[in-house]
Amino acid sequence: MGFKTLPGTVYLFGHIKSNFMGKEMMAIIVKRLYEKTSEPFIGFYALMRPILLIRDPELIRHILIKDFSHFQDRGVYVNEKDDPLSGHLVALAGEKWKGLRAKLTPTFTSGKLKGMFSTLVACGSNLQNYLDKLAEKSELLDVQEIAASHATNVIASVSFGIDVDAITDPNTDFRKYGRKMFSPNIQNSLRLILLTCAPKLMKFLHIKCVSADVENFVLSIVKQNLEYREMNNVTRNDFFQLLIQLRNTGSVESDGHDSTIKSNENQKTLTVNEMAAQSYIFFAAGFETSSSTLAFCLFELARNPEIQNRAFDEISRVLEDHGGEITYDAVSEMKFLEQCID
């Protein structure tokens, strides 16, 4: 289309051969391409797909704000018919995306997050008890595995409404399929690259966004949980409860009114597959990000005891002001701890 394009493209692979071969992260490649020019925007190729790399802040502002109606689609793989878990908020396009985003936005108000906070504290208690036992024996700990197990507990509870303890039982299904989802193997790497760089090819080759057993696990968990809650009128303060509300009423109730209301099958505004897709992306987006952040944070605190002591003192002081209870408001006041995590 006549746009200036960076040199160094390789036939079939474009500019991302090192990523395709598993040698470099995409972020590193994009950073290098960004630094190779001073142009306001520049073209490059990801496999055969032409991509425009925007460098000018004013152009970025227009794309993300003023002209967003022209740029709202991410252009990644989605195939709701044959691959139900691909139909999530991150991948959907056009009016379907806009409608679902409008429905899901109220699920992340501060009131809703406060309501879920007791679930996070309960998961934190499992982690604390486990670490206390290790500390008593002065045992070495695998922080990455512990952080991943803790993240699994949180997401299983908040996103799927199921209590698991992957810390003491590392072979629980949620941990097993979480490992499988993020295992750095050839299949997962290929999926990730095709998902963003060649979505049409992925659809043509009938490659799904996850392996068949992961898909079956997510779909079955969502169906079983939905049936159980509706049959027994069970209500929980979690993300899954809000999905049930969306399915049955078409909207999320105001804070403090999280009931399980049944409706006629013809009135359903969210299918079971759509619920499963949102739960899956909640798992996929929240698991590795949260566990890696926690692991790196703990590692840096261990290397810098003076910063660890400052964080500890702040936690002690704030909890004392809140009667020793870990609450949503108490954690919000821990500004230095937030800096450590950031």
Side-chain angles (χ1 to χ4, degrees):
M1 296 179 74
F3 289 114
K4 197 177 286 186
T5 305
L6 286 164
T9 182
V10 178
Y11 184 66
L12 289 181
F13 296 106
H15 291 84
I16 67 159
K17 184 180 178 182
S18 57
N19 178 256
F20 197 84
M21 306 304 289
K23 293 180 179 179
E24 269 187 317
M25 287 166 50
M26 188 67 84
I28 302 295
I29 295 172
V30 174
K31 182 173 184 287
R32 187 169 63 247
L33 297 175
Y34 177 93
E35 290 171 346
K36 274 188 173 180
T37 181
S38 58
E39 298 284 344
F41 55 86
I42 194 87
F44 75 97
Y45 284 90
L47 301 184
M48 305 289 283
R49 191 180 199 186
I51 293 178
L52 208 58
L53 176 62
I54 313 295
R55 300 180 78 263
D56 177 62
E58 192 59 26
L59 271 178
I60 292 168
R61 191 177 70 82
H62 273 271
I63 288 167
L64 294 179
I65 301 171
K66 189 178 177 184
D67 298 322
F68 180 69
S69 58
H70 299 286
F71 296 98
Q72 64 189 27
D73 300 343
R74 288 176 182 249
V76 298
Y77 164 80
V78 59
N79 181 10
E80 288 180 273
K81 184 184 173 187
D82 303 316
D83 188 0
L85 296 190
S86 71
H88 51 73
L89 192 63
V90 175
L92 287 172
E95 291 303 312
K96 189 95 191 231
W97 169 83
K98 194 179 283 186
L100 187 61
R101 186 182 187 278
K103 288 177 182 177
L104 285 177
T105 297
T107 65
F108 297 105
T109 63
S110 58
K112 294 297 182 189
L113 294 175
K114 277 184 183 179
M116 296 178 196
F117 194 74
S118 59
T119 305
L120 301 185
V121 173
C123 292
S125 297
N126 287 344
L127 177 64
Q128 184 177 339
N129 293 336
Y130 181 76
L131 293 177
D132 281 343
K133 289 173 186 173
L134 287 181
E136 280 173 20
K137 300 174 185 174
S138 296
E139 285 187 18
L140 287 172
L141 59 153
D142 183 341
V143 171
Q144 191 173 6
E145 179 60 29
I146 290 171
S149 298
H150 174 61
T152 299
N153 290 354
V154 171
I155 291 173
S157 192
V158 171
S159 184
F160 294 87
I162 294 170
D163 293 323
V164 301
D165 188 359
I167 293 174
T168 54
D169 179 13
N171 294 315
T172 183
D173 280 348
F174 269 97
R175 184 72 190 102
K176 184 173 79 177
Y177 288 111
R179 279 195 201 99
K180 195 156 194 175
M181 213 182 287
F182 294 101
S183 174
N185 55 40
I186 292 171
Q187 293 97 320
N188 282 346
S189 298
L190 189 62
R191 276 194 190 95
L192 193 59
I193 290 168
L194 292 179
L195 193 131
T196 51
C197 301
K200 288 179 182 175
L201 181 62
M202 194 166 174
K203 197 170 183 177
F204 177 76
L205 295 175
H206 299 288
I207 300 172
K208 294 194 174 189
C209 63
V210 292
S211 59
D213 52 350
V214 172
E215 180 189 276
N216 292 335
F217 171 70
V218 173
L219 289 171
S220 66
I221 285 289
V222 168
K223 286 174 186 172
Q224 290 168 24
N225 200 6
L226 176 63
E227 287 171 8
Y228 175 78
R229 289 202 194 187
E230 291 197 329
M231 280 177 64
N232 298 283
N233 199 27
V234 172
T235 302
R236 277 180 56 137
N237 282 322
D238 56 27
F239 178 70
F240 196 82
Q241 189 68 38
L242 304 179
L243 289 179
I244 293 175
Q245 280 185 21
L246 276 179
R247 170 174 162 78
N248 291 347
T249 67
S251 63
V252 172
E253 298 292 315
S254 58
D255 295 340
H257 298 88
D258 300 332
S259 57
T260 301
I261 302 169
K262 295 179 189 174
S263 67
N264 186 292
E265 198 59 41
N266 296 326
Q267 295 174 304
K268 304 296 186 189
T269 62
L270 210 64
T271 67
V272 174
N273 282 356
E274 286 172 329
M275 287 180 70
Q278 309 325 310
S279 294
Y280 157 71
I281 199 61
F282 204 86
F283 191 3
F287 169 72
E288 184 67 29
T289 48
S290 300
S291 62
S292 295
T293 301
L294 179 58
F296 278 118
C297 183
L298 291 172
F299 175 66
E300 291 295 344
L301 287 172
R303 291 180 68 211
N304 298 275
E306 69 288 350
I307 293 177
Q308 184 182 149
N309 290 335
R310 276 184 68 186
F312 179 83
D313 290 342
E314 180 189 66
I315 293 167
S316 301
R317 176 177 51 75
V318 172
L319 289 184
E320 196 175 325
D321 294 342
H322 287 264
E325 258 191 272
I326 300 176
T327 63
Y328 182 91
D329 292 328
V331 172
S332 297
E333 287 178 30
M334 298 176 189
K335 299 301 180 188
F336 185 71
L337 179 63
E338 186 176 355
Q339 289 175 331
C340 292
I341 294 165
D342 288 343

